[in-house]
Amino acid sequence: MTRFTRTPITYQDPEKRIHNFDEVCLGYTKEEAIKEAKRCIQCKNPTCVPLCPVNIDIPGFIKAIAEEDFKKAAETLAEYSALPAVCGRVCPQEDQCEKTCILGKKGEPIAIGKLERFAADWALEQGLSLGKTKEPNGHKVAVIGSGPAGVTCAGELAKAGYEVKIFEALHEPGGVLVYGIPEFRLPADDIVQVEIENLKKLGVEIETNVIVGRTITVDEIFDEGYEAIFIGSGAGLPIFMNIPGENLNGVFSANEFLTRNNLMKAFRSDMDTPIKVGNKVAVVGGGNVAMDAARTAKRLGAEVHVVYRRTEEELPAREEEVENAMEEGIIFDFLTNPVEILGDDKGWVRGIKCVKMELGEPDASGRRRPIPIEGSEFEFEVDSVIMALGTSPNPLIPRTTEGLNTDERNRIKLVSEKGQTSREGIFAGGDNVTGSATVILAMGAGKEAAKSIDEYIKSKATNI
Amino acid sequence: MYKILKADKLAANIYRMVVDAPRVAKHCQPGQFIIVKLDEKGERIPLTICDYDREKGTVTIVFQPIGESTTEMAQLQTGDAFEDFVGPLGQPSEFVTEDLEELKKKRILFVAGGVGTAPVYPQVKWLHEHGVTADAIIGAKTKDLVILEKEFEEVCNLYVTTDDGSYKRKGMVTQTIKDLVEEGKQYDVCVAIGPMIMMKFVCLLTKELGIHTIVSMNPIMVDGTGMCGACRLTVGGEVKFACVDGPEFDGHLVDFDQAMKRQQMYKTEEGRAVLKAKEGDTHHGGCGICGGDK
Ligand SMILES: Cc1cc2nc3c(=O)[nH]c(=O)nc-3n(C[C@H](O)[C@H](O)[C@H](O)COP(=O)(O)OP(=O)(O)OC[C@H]3O[C@@H](n4cnc5c(N)ncnc54)[C@H](O)[C@@H]3O)c2cc1C
Ligand SMILES: Cc1cc2nc3c(=O)[nH]c(=O)nc-3n(C[C@H](O)[C@H](O)[C@H](O)COP(=O)(O)OP(=O)(O)OC[C@H]3O[C@@H](n4cnc5c(N)ncnc54)[C@H](O)[C@@H]3O)c2cc1C
Ligand code: SF4
Ligand code: SF4
Ligand code: FES
Ligand SMILES: [Mg+2]
């Protein structure tokens, strides 16, 4: 029956890991990876591939692992993905490639993500630079934002021979990969920074501390000699609930809480940025962001409740994160929705007032709509509340760029599938086009846009 | 790295630095701010732009050490550098985009408290350069803490007041506002910048006097780009992010009590001790009303 059973992978013991920020999943060893790879039956018409947003040759790279040709596995991945070490860790695999793996019908699907991570980590450890770089072609492209969309677009263009510069608003590149997703899921120094270094080795220049729309405008970037611009500015604006008490001391957006902890490394006592969480915390929401905030608060020593208005079934977070969170002792209060945050006379949070919910008819998203149960309000004591309700794109760039159209939710409108915006020479992709989505989708968009930019510049120039 | 081309002291515990930051200098306007980070371990510190030279590519900041980070920053000398310096952030002052002819008709009063005097300077200077002469009040606790007096005198009609009467007028800034109005002065707009408590009391007075008032809010911030919401405050019943919607707001609409509470969020016992020690000789704001950031 081994064909239908997944090769187990090692996780840090929950009792230990709630006291540190080290990676939770330790990854496959060589032997484990080979064993798991051999489980793949190498389908002629693989059902896993179409569900991967970038259509990675999954049987191909897995076969290479099974044959112990890890270099080939990594090279295969590099043909499709710029950040396999990241996607192997954070893709919602259970809804993508692994969802339709044929083995899933009778048993457990192949651990595609974990194998991808294995091959990618192996390449990072070897310091391999994958993919060929063409001769410089003398053309310049600017990229705004250094999240997965921007980084991928920049990497693809650099490989195609372009001179590429990324402008990043924060003091460190990486986007959500460094300020949002915590170290225990995606180690910043070992993974993200190495990927950024690889990008620099391709010749990509990164200028941090440049807020496009404030420090420089899009039009001035063109004036600096860039022929095309890719905007990968993400969806960074936090959403609040607009309930009473939300401005009390001790109420944070998940972005603030995670930025303090991840980007500013507030969990380390030698860093200057403070973080306060208290003894008991309510995290409102049910997505990856909520799980990350909850597990971070736990590691900072708090008792943590995730307050979610639907049930466990509907939790939008990755399955693995929910499992890990439960193992770590995070308490889930399902079918519960906050209606007010209660404060003391000094302006600090002292508790939260919630209402019980029940599920009604399916709504537009296809999920059953939560409805408050009348008279079911109750209060419980907390020291802080973290709002993890989602984010929307920052309107700064569209507002300061003439002719760049957005929709009513501040998302940049594309006029073609391939990243072309309403203004010539400007391309966009990632969360700023889709609203908050996933790393792999942002990466895919960056890659598509790089192709379009290449075509666009070639169509205008005669010397390539 | 962003080099400090000149570091000097304007008064006991008020420091000025001219920083090489060409991209910021090219774009900044009165009313905006920057965020500075000392080194790898530093936090992101928001500071108002107090002057700029587009040709030389420099931006001037003026600050008062009140906690760990600003105290560490005060140790830096000419020739040292900041690891990060980003801006300009926030919205420029309203008048920058106003019709100049309309603006020239306006009677404007600036009220500056303590270290808040520094960020008022680029505003009065800008107006002066555009042919508008404003009145300005500088309030400080005592004579030695009056800063930028000469610079102000060159660009506006200046009134200086000290709490203890050791220099020029005696009393807090609100007293001088009352005096000026009683002397028959009329104002269409008041711009008040200083500690929150000073701005609150100025607003209470100008509301009575019927003078539209603009204040510059300085809540706790992290990114300064609208990403974290740490800087949120309530203005006219609506939640605003000071870093993108402000930092200047209609002072008659700001919920100061909430803003002051939020500013205390990371006030640790240690922080309180630092403040208390410093207040002894500088008075956190120098407005004459508050007795410090309590
Ligand atoms: C806490 C958290 C956990 C997540 N977990 C997962 C997960 O497990 N799996 C998954 O697939 N996805 C996850 N996501 C979503 C995923 O991270 C995003 O979909 C993805 O990062 C989007 O990439 P992007 O390149 O479009 O934008 P971002 O990663 O947001 O990067 C945008 C970059 O642009 C910069 N920028 C913005 N405005 C400007 C400007 N004006 N000038 C210059 N630079 C600018 C920003 O500073 C930022 O660095 C998570 C998100 C969060 C917040
Ligand atoms: C838009 C903006 C513009 C600013 N301009 C200036 C300026 O031109 N000159 C200047 O000296 N300061 C200015 N400030 C305030 C300055 O940012 C703070 O004094 C500084 O961040 C304190 O850092 P610290 O580590 O030294 O003190 P901390 O140890 O972080 O704080 C010390 C104590 O001061 C209080 N505090 C924390 N943050 C602030 C704050 N933002 N404002 C007031 N008190 C605070 C806390 O309650 C704490 O107890 C500005 C703030 C903002 C938001
Ligand atoms: S990129 Fe994501 S969806 Fe595609 S194969 Fe890898 S883990 Fe699966
Ligand atoms: S569907 Fe599953 S078994 Fe088939 S190729 Fe894909 S991973 Fe292998
Ligand atoms: S400082 Fe983060 S949103 Fe204003
Ligand atoms: Mg501090």
Side-chain angles (χ1 to χ4, degrees):
Chain A
M1 281 306 284
T2 55
R3 172 125 272 159
F4 294 107
T5 311
R6 216 174 240 208
T7 311
I9 196 161
T10 319
Y11 290 89
Q12 241 202 99
D13 177 15
E15 286 303 312
K16 280 204 189 121
R17 72 188 191 227
I18 58 170
H19 301 293
N20 67 49
F21 280 89
D22 300 338
E23 200 171 6
V24 164
C25 176
L26 303 179
Y28 277 141
T29 62
K30 255 185 214 174
E31 294 68 32
E32 289 165 347
I34 294 163
K35 188 172 167 215
E36 179 66 6
K38 284 187 173 158
R39 223 163 55 86
C40 168
I41 54 174
Q42 294 291 316
C43 305
K44 285 252 156 49
N45 290 306
T47 45
C48 52
V49 175
L51 270 260
C52 166
V54 295
N55 303 131
I56 288 182
D57 175 9
I58 296 170
F61 93 81
I62 292 183
K63 183 160 185 255
I65 294 178
E67 289 168 355
E68 299 186 36
D69 190 347
F70 305 138
K71 181 155 184 266
K72 188 167 167 216
E75 278 166 355
T76 307
L77 286 168
E79 273 176 46
Y80 301 87
S81 166
L83 301 167
V86 174
C87 294
R89 284 174 168 81
V90 305
C91 256
Q93 289 103 4
E94 71 272 12
D95 290 326
Q96 299 181 356
C97 53
E98 295 177 13
K99 186 177 184 176
T100 47
C101 166
I102 197 84
L103 293 184
K105 287 208 170 140
K106 284 197 185 153
E108 291 178 297
I110 297 289
I112 302 172
K114 300 280 188 273
L115 288 175
E116 180 173 339
R117 167 186 167 171
F118 169 80
D121 282 2
W122 182 87
L124 286 180
E125 272 162 33
Q126 309 293 311
L128 289 190
S129 59
L130 302 167
K132 295 173 207 81
T133 307
K134 288 192 184 152
E135 284 294 298
N137 64 21
H139 291 271
K140 283 169 71 172
V141 180
V143 169
I144 303 170
S146 61
V151 159
T152 305
C153 184
E156 293 294 316
L157 288 167
K159 284 188 214 161
Y162 289 90
E163 184 184 328
V164 186
K165 181 165 189 176
I166 301 182
F167 294 101
E168 167 57 48
L170 291 171
H171 58 267
E172 212 175 295
V176 170
L177 306 184
V178 296
Y179 79 70
I181 304 181
E183 298 264 328
F184 57 81
R185 256 201 323 131
L186 183 64
D189 290 348
D190 298 343
I191 307 296
V192 186
Q193 286 322 318
V194 179
E195 297 285 13
I196 299 282
E197 284 311 310
N198 286 341
L199 194 66
K200 289 185 185 161
K201 280 185 204 151
L202 290 175
V204 174
E205 196 190 329
I206 304 179
E207 189 175 339
T208 50
N209 297 323
V210 178
I211 302 171
V212 176
R214 287 251 186 273
T215 316
I216 187 172
T217 62
V218 162
D219 288 289
E220 287 166 328
I221 295 178
F222 281 123
D223 293 345
E224 287 192 6
Y226 294 94
E227 293 152 81
I229 297 177
F230 174 76
I231 310 176
S233 51
L237 293 195
I239 295 169
F240 286 91
M241 287 186 89
N242 294 318
I243 57 174
E246 238 173 349
N247 283 359
L248 288 165
N249 288 0
V251 184
F252 310 99
S253 74
N255 268 7
E256 176 183 355
F257 184 68
L258 291 170
T259 300
R260 284 183 183 277
N261 195 71
N262 303 340
L263 181 71
M264 307 310 294
K265 304 210 170 12
F267 68 90
R268 273 169 49 185
S269 58
D270 62 331
M271 303 298 277
D272 292 344
T273 304
I275 193 161
K276 246 184 199 173
V277 65
N279 297 321
K280 201 169 163 188
V281 186
V283 176
V284 184
N288 288 322
V289 184
M291 296 308 122
D292 285 345
R295 297 172 69 196
T296 298
K298 183 82 190 179
R299 282 160 174 74
L300 294 172
E303 173 186 319
V304 186
H305 289 249
V306 167
V307 176
Y308 181 55
R309 60 193 183 133
R310 292 181 156 104
T311 72
E312 186 171 352
E313 288 275 284
E314 289 86 12
L315 276 176
R318 294 180 70 226
E319 217 166 75
E320 187 180 4
E321 308 320 324
V322 177
E323 273 166 29
N324 288 343
M326 287 183 171
E327 280 171 15
E328 288 166 13
I330 309 283
I331 302 155
F332 285 77
D333 299 335
F334 293 115
L335 291 169
T336 304
N337 204 30
V339 288
E340 184 179 349
I341 299 164
L342 309 164
D344 64 18
D345 54 351
K346 295 212 171 76
W348 282 88
V349 172
R350 68 170 171 84
I352 184 166
K353 188 178 185 179
C354 297
V355 64
K356 281 282 176 195
M357 309 292 277
E358 59 189 352
L359 293 183
E361 294 299 309
D363 63 12
S365 72
R367 295 179 301 177
R368 293 173 64 195
R369 184 196 303 274
I371 315 166
I373 302 175
E374 231 175 280
S376 66
E377 284 86 359
F378 67 102
E379 297 179 6
F380 67 99
E381 274 176 36
V382 289
D383 303 312
S384 39
V385 178
I386 301 170
M387 292 293 180
L389 303 154
T391 53
S392 68
N394 189 322
L396 179 62
I397 296 173
R399 273 190 200 155
T400 52
T401 309
E402 207 157 328
L404 184 64
N405 296 340
T406 53
D407 68 9
E408 68 296 340
R409 285 155 70 185
N410 289 326
R411 295 177 298 192
I412 297 176
K413 273 194 193 160
L414 299 185
V415 298
S416 87
E417 296 268 288
K418 299 172 80 186
Q420 172 67 51
T421 69
S422 55
R423 205 174 127 179
E424 193 190 324
I426 303 183
F427 300 77
D431 278 5
N432 60 1
V433 168
T434 55
S436 12
T438 60
V439 171
I440 185 75
L441 285 172
M443 239 191 57
K447 195 170 172 178
E448 275 306 305
K451 275 189 220 155
S452 307
I453 290 171
D454 185 42
E455 281 163 21
Y456 167 74
I457 291 182
K458 277 182 179 152
S459 75
K460 296 196 73 177
T462 46
N463 61 340
I464 302 189
Chain B
M1 298 296 263
Y2 302 80
K3 205 162 177 189
I4 300 166
L5 301 177
K6 190 176 156 215
D8 63 356
K9 232 172 157 176
L10 291 178
N13 231 26
I14 300 182
Y15 295 75
R16 173 169 62 186
M17 289 174 179
V18 179
V19 183
D20 181 39
R23 284 208 196 271
V24 184
K26 189 169 170 205
H27 277 270
C28 62
Q29 298 279 8
Q32 291 185 299
F33 64 101
I34 54 91
I35 282 185
V36 64
K37 190 166 150 288
L38 295 187
D39 52 30
E40 199 199 326
K41 291 178 176 161
E43 63 185 326
R44 293 170 65 96
I45 309 167
L47 295 168
T48 314
I49 292 167
C50 294
D51 204 357
Y52 50 86
D53 186 324
R54 300 211 202 282
E55 245 108 79
K56 292 192 184 127
T58 61
V59 173
T60 304
I61 49 174
V62 172
F63 65 95
Q64 188 174 33
I66 61 162
E68 263 182 58
S69 297
T70 41
T71 303
E72 206 182 321
M73 194 169 142
Q75 314 301 316
L76 297 180
Q77 305 289 328
T78 302
D80 289 340
F82 293 113
E83 184 162 292
D84 299 288
F85 192 93
V86 59
L89 297 158
Q91 304 289 342
S93 301
E94 218 170 64
F95 59 74
V96 172
T97 53
E98 248 174 280
D99 178 69
L100 207 54
E101 290 315 307
E102 287 300 309
L103 192 61
K104 280 180 182 163
K105 291 184 207 144
K106 281 197 178 159
R107 295 154 301 181
I108 309 175
L109 173 67
F110 286 89
V111 181
V115 71
T117 305
V120 169
Y121 178 65
Q123 307 205 5
V124 287
K125 183 176 153 193
W126 189 97
L127 287 170
H128 177 75
E129 283 167 356
H130 289 79
V132 185
T133 305
D135 286 358
I137 302 170
I138 293 180
K141 188 175 184 186
T142 185
K143 185 179 178 189
D144 295 342
L145 296 176
V146 176
I147 58 169
L148 301 173
E149 190 184 0
K150 268 205 202 87
E151 286 88 339
F152 268 74
E153 271 171 346
E154 281 167 23
V155 293
C156 66
N157 306 317
L158 182 66
Y159 305 88
V160 177
T161 182
T162 49
D163 291 5
D164 59 3
S166 55
Y167 190 57
K168 304 260 170 109
R169 290 169 181 253
K170 179 176 162 67
M172 34 204 180
V173 291
T174 41
Q175 188 57 52
T176 305
I177 301 174
K178 279 185 205 150
D179 293 346
L180 291 177
V181 170
E182 262 160 40
E183 284 163 27
K185 289 261 189 183
Q186 288 181 331
Y187 297 106
D188 304 301
V189 186
C190 169
V191 178
I193 305 183
M196 281 203 204
I197 190 83
M198 177 205 95
M199 296 191 284
K200 175 181 164 172
F201 279 100
V202 168
C203 286
L204 286 174
L205 175 64
T206 56
K207 197 161 185 188
E208 245 170 60
L209 298 170
I211 308 169
H212 172 56
T213 300
I214 293 172
V215 295
S216 180
M217 300 302 284
N218 55 354
I220 286 168
M221 293 190 171
V222 183
D223 60 300
T225 69
M227 188 263 276
C228 75
C231 62
R232 63 195 189 277
L233 33 92
T234 306
V235 182
E238 275 181 58
V239 177
K240 301 278 180 190
F241 287 7
C243 70
V244 287
D245 302 319
E248 297 188 350
F249 293 100
D250 181 336
H252 294 159
L253 299 179
V254 170
D255 181 344
F256 280 105
D257 294 338
Q258 181 186 75
M260 284 188 282
K261 281 179 186 154
R262 285 189 61 79
Q263 215 182 42
Q264 306 304 304
M265 189 119 53
Y266 294 96
K267 192 159 192 164
T268 55
E269 294 309 316
E270 187 189 0
R272 221 172 271 144
V274 173
L275 266 182
K276 205 168 168 209
K278 295 280 145 69
E279 260 163 27
D281 57 326
T282 68
H283 183 284
H284 179 224
C287 63
I289 296 167
C290 60
D293 174 31
K294 297 253 157 60

